[in-house]
Amino acid sequence: DDQTKLLNSANPPLTYVISGFKNGETMAVVGGAGTCATTAILTSPVSGNPYPITCSLGSLSAANYDFPADNFAVGHLTVLYASGGSCLGSPGHQILQPINSDGTCVFKQGSTAPAKFRVCDAAGTSIGIPGVVSSFRLFATMSGTVVTTVDEAVVSTTPDTEFRWSSTDQQWIFNMNTKKQQANITYFYLITLNDHSTIVFQFGLK
């Protein structure tokens, strides 16, 4: 079975299912147990590739059935950031002030819009290791009720071309430049993290 766990938490129980029973029989005819293991440990980092879960025969047995060793499919354990909760007193895994998470924020056209967020491990520790942010894109704009789909890189007011980690505030930040954007438009942004989760936010310009 594929499994998930939060960063810096213990591995979940590694389980399996057996298929191929005949004549209405079920797991009830099976004795013993298989054994499963994974390369992931307590401190295994978030990775673009999940950690393999491999199972072996162990003591499995059942009358009229064989359990070929090469018939065990490999499962996957994915390490994730916490999807919510508190992180240093602020909500984790969502956009932070001065941008409102409910999408009601409006900035003056030409001003700097600081995009800030934190992602946390199982203990609520803010994570600042390199590679947390996979991509950051403007994906849509809306004028009135008309939505336009776009796919554009986001321009910074500093030499930074991606989110930077602020060790002082224990958060990620990108100072967004709105000088070339239009007033009376709502802009929608997508932050993709290296655990494949996303943070979506929006703000308007006046």
Side-chain angles (χ1 to χ4, degrees):
D1 295 322
D2 290 339
Q3 303 285 357
T4 62
K5 74 163 190 164
L6 296 185
L7 178 64
N8 294 330
S9 68
N11 287 345
L14 303 179
T15 57
Y16 58 87
V17 293
I18 299 175
S19 62
F21 294 106
K22 302 296 183 180
N23 302 323
E25 292 182 321
T26 67
M27 281 285 292
V29 303
V30 179
T35 59
C36 298
T38 180
T39 57
I41 60 175
L42 176 71
T43 57
S44 292
V46 169
S47 171
N49 297 313
Y51 298 87
I53 300 172
T54 55
C55 295
S56 58
L57 181 63
S59 60
L60 283 174
S61 64
N64 302 318
Y65 292 95
D66 291 325
F67 295 93
D70 60 356
N71 274 18
F72 286 91
V74 175
H76 301 92
L77 173 60
T78 302
V79 180
L80 304 171
Y81 300 114
S83 60
S86 179
C87 193
L88 296 182
S90 298
H93 214 283
Q94 73 175 42
I95 201 70
L96 299 176
Q97 291 293 312
I99 299 177
N100 298 336
S101 61
D102 63 3
T104 58
C105 193
V106 178
F107 292 102
K108 182 178 180 181
Q109 189 275 335
S111 64
T112 295
K116 304 176 182 180
F117 73 91
R118 294 188 179 107
V119 288
C120 312
D121 67 4
T125 302
S126 186
I127 304 301
I129 59 176
V132 166
V133 181
S134 295
S135 66
F136 180 37
R137 308 290 291 180
L138 171 66
F139 73 91
T141 63
M142 183 174 69
S143 177
T145 59
V146 179
V147 177
T148 302
T149 301
V150 297
D151 183 15
E152 299 177 2
V154 183
V155 180
S156 175
T157 59
T158 69
D160 297 324
T161 57
E162 58 186 20
F163 271 90
R164 62 177 177 84
W165 172 251
S166 171
S167 57
T168 302
D169 303 311
Q170 295 288 293
Q171 64 186 3
W172 293 91
I173 182 169
F174 190 106
N175 290 314
M176 303 166 61
N177 190 339
T178 68
K179 288 183 178 179
K180 294 185 178 181
Q181 294 176 315
Q182 299 178 18
N184 302 314
I185 299 289
T186 299
Y187 294 85
F188 298 82
Y189 296 89
L190 176 68
I191 305 168
T192 302
L193 307 181
N194 64 334
D195 68 345
H196 303 295
S197 64
T198 58
I199 299 172
V200 178
F201 68 93
Q202 68 188 65
F203 60 80
L205 293 181
K206 63 179 180 180

